[in-house]
Amino acid sequence: MTILKLDEKNFRKIFGIALSAVKEGQIVVFPTDTVYGLIADAGNKEAVERIYQIKKRPKNKPLPVFVSDIEMAKHIAEINSKQEKFLKTVWPGATTCVLTAKGGGGTIGIRMPKDNLLLDLVKQLGRPLAETSANISGKLASTKINDVLAQFKGQEEQPDLVIDGGDLPSAKPST
């Protein structure tokens, strides 16, 4: 588990490292607009599987995804004009919306975060990011980097990369 401290001076370099890690199928702990999250390329089945293993999350609990905009959401979910109007009132923000997945695959939780770094990461990747809070299932999500690191310390399965953005403002996971 590599830990990289994010600051204004190394912002571009750390962003590039995080983007490369996601493209390579790695699991990244990343600061969000709510709590620290585990992220991976949603299109990479092995990476998504690793999130479940790292988090010890039950397989029957689907992972939501981050999108960069409503257009990206429309590629993976059925969104009618009434839903789109609602999404425009809550996104970007801390609201995960459960929508009908395209292709008859049930439902999918989608969120457009209110965090420019994270939105840029999704835009540069060009597809959704699988995401969940950076904690072991059943334990509390956190805005404190040391709490996040403590949860994964000594675990057999760990994230590949941690982007340490310091302690985040006090927040709750998305609704």
Side-chain angles (χ1 to χ4, degrees):
M1 183 165 60
T2 302
I3 302 169
L4 299 176
K5 180 75 175 154
L6 180 67
D7 61 41
E8 290 180 21
K9 294 175 187 169
N10 68 7
F11 173 86
R12 290 184 195 274
K13 180 180 179 183
I14 298 294
F15 179 86
I17 292 168
L19 180 60
S20 292
V22 169
K23 285 180 176 179
E24 292 168 9
Q26 295 184 22
I27 310 306
V28 180
V29 172
F30 205 85
T32 77
D33 55 335
T34 55
V35 298
Y36 271 92
L38 287 174
I39 62 170
D41 179 350
N44 183 323
K45 291 181 181 184
E46 292 83 17
V48 171
E49 175 62 31
R50 282 204 53 233
I51 288 181
Y52 279 97
Q53 292 168 359
I54 291 167
K55 190 173 171 83
K56 299 180 179 164
R57 184 179 176 107
K59 294 287 175 119
N60 64 349
K61 198 170 179 189
L63 293 175
V65 296
F66 283 135
V67 295
S68 59
D69 53 35
I70 291 175
E71 290 308 308
M72 185 180 281
K74 286 179 176 180
H75 287 286
I76 58 173
E78 301 291 341
I79 299 174
N80 64 35
S81 59
K82 185 176 177 182
Q83 290 166 324
E84 183 171 352
K85 186 176 179 182
F86 172 76
L87 293 175
K88 287 179 179 178
T89 67
V90 297
W91 284 356
T95 303
T96 300
C97 297
V98 179
L99 299 161
T100 302
K102 285 225 169 159
T107 59
I108 185 167
I110 304 174
R111 182 161 94 85
M112 187 172 90
K114 190 173 188 174
D115 180 280
N116 289 335
L117 183 62
L118 196 48
L119 285 174
D120 285 346
L121 192 68
V122 180
K123 285 177 189 171
Q124 291 294 318
L125 183 64
R127 54 187 173 273
L129 282 172
E131 55 98 357
T132 184
S133 55
N135 58 291
I136 303 297
S137 282
K139 296 191 178 184
L140 293 176
S142 185
T143 59
K144 309 285 185 217
I145 188 62
N146 287 335
D147 292 347
V148 172
L149 294 172
Q151 287 202 41
F152 297 113
K153 186 179 181 183
Q155 296 290 324
E156 187 176 327
E157 289 287 337
Q158 296 183 344
D160 301 297
L161 177 64
V162 176
I163 303 302
D164 175 357
D167 290 344
L168 307 176
S170 184
K172 295 178 182 176
S174 68
T175 302

